[in-house]
Amino acid sequence: MYHSVSDCSDDPYRITVSPDRLRQQLGWLRRQGLRGVSVTDLLAARARGEGRNLVGLTFDDGYADFIHGALPLLRAHECGATLFVLLGKLGGENDWDPVGPRKRLMAEADILRAAATEGIEIGSHGLTHLDLTRVDDETLHAETAGSRALLSELTGAPVRGFCYPYGAIDQRVVDAVRSAGYAYACAIDPSPLNGPHALPRVHVGEQDTGARLFLKYRLHRIRRRPVEGA
């Protein structure tokens, strides 16, 4: 689970990885015989009984720095990824963060450029980065089904993946995402709701060297619950 790829000098929420660190992390993956792919590609491989050498890479929030900070490095290391974008904040900023630097979010042209890159999947992060466990049913529908329809219209492709803002989930929210037609959804922490529509992930930050990534990888295999159907 990545977010922004840019300067880390002011990063109170630890959501930023520098391009140099991302280069080191992707290089470490490749040296271990692993390759980063989109979540859809990972789940498809697992369904075929394959994918032991694949790692799902995700980038949340749709920061514009993905285009120049992450995309060239992913291509150089022959990796794919899933990029989760916010359709209600195209070209805007991360105004949901009360402190810290303002970071520009992708505009339509940025999303289309990423979508045109081999191995890059575009998924929905909702419309406006709300805690979906705290919204009414109408807003929940707009943030899930509504964002999927808008993103599909923009990219001209089906949208298979959703990512819960803040990783906040409950049964009502998971049911709404499933009903909206998503094939999978990404959460953060393991929970009783784990499954294809609540996939736990590992946070990756600027301090994660190869040794730390190895420990996170091994611990994640212990802390996550098996995902049926994956």
Side-chain angles (χ1 to χ4, degrees):
M1 179 178 66
Y2 288 93
H3 290 77
S4 172
V5 182
S6 62
D7 173 53
C8 299
S9 58
D10 185 8
D11 188 32
Y13 300 106
R14 297 186 298 118
I15 62 165
T16 308
V17 171
S18 67
D20 282 345
R21 180 62 80 187
L22 178 60
R23 180 184 297 106
Q24 294 170 20
Q25 292 167 346
L26 294 177
W28 179 85
L29 283 178
R30 299 301 274 150
R31 289 191 298 274
Q32 308 309 307
L34 303 171
R35 182 168 65 89
V37 296
S38 70
V39 178
T40 285
D41 287 347
L42 175 64
L43 295 180
R46 294 292 297 276
R48 298 190 301 268
E50 304 170 359
R52 291 182 62 86
N53 64 330
L54 302 181
V55 177
L57 300 180
T58 59
F59 291 79
D60 293 7
D61 299 339
Y63 290 106
D65 55 44
F66 177 86
I67 295 296
H68 299 291
L71 193 55
L73 295 174
L74 290 169
R75 296 185 65 184
H77 290 85
E78 300 181 322
C79 289
T82 298
L83 173 66
F84 293 112
V85 299
L86 292 159
L87 267 293
K89 292 186 175 293
L90 294 174
E93 295 180 330
N94 56 325
D95 55 10
W96 59 88
D97 288 332
V99 298
R102 298 299 93 185
K103 293 176 176 282
R104 191 174 74 82
L105 304 176
M106 286 184 161
E108 288 187 4
D110 300 315
I111 294 174
L112 293 175
R113 180 174 175 181
T117 303
E118 183 178 359
I120 301 300
E121 175 190 20
I122 308 298
S124 175
H125 204 25
L127 295 174
T128 54
H129 207 284
L130 299 175
D131 179 343
L132 299 183
T133 65
R134 298 175 178 270
V135 302
D136 58 35
D137 289 345
E138 182 178 0
T139 302
L140 179 59
H141 184 268
E143 292 280 338
T144 55
S147 69
R148 183 170 187 257
L150 290 172
L151 185 54
S152 180
E153 181 179 357
L154 173 61
T155 62
V159 178
R160 297 180 56 81
F162 185 83
C163 177
Y164 301 101
Y166 307 105
I169 61 172
D170 57 23
Q171 190 66 63
R172 181 179 72 109
V173 172
V174 172
D175 289 345
V177 168
R178 184 184 295 109
S179 297
Y182 294 99
Y184 74 85
C186 288
I188 298 177
D189 295 322
S191 80
L193 295 174
N194 278 174
H197 289 88
L199 298 170
R201 296 177 293 166
V202 175
H203 171 267
V204 181
E206 178 68 9
Q207 302 305 314
D208 288 325
T209 60
R212 285 170 59 100
L213 287 176
F214 176 76
L215 289 174
K216 285 189 172 185
Y217 171 73
R218 294 301 296 269
L219 289 172
H220 181 66
R221 294 176 64 85
I222 296 172
R223 67 194 283 267
R224 72 172 176 83
R225 292 169 180 241
V227 178
E228 295 181 3

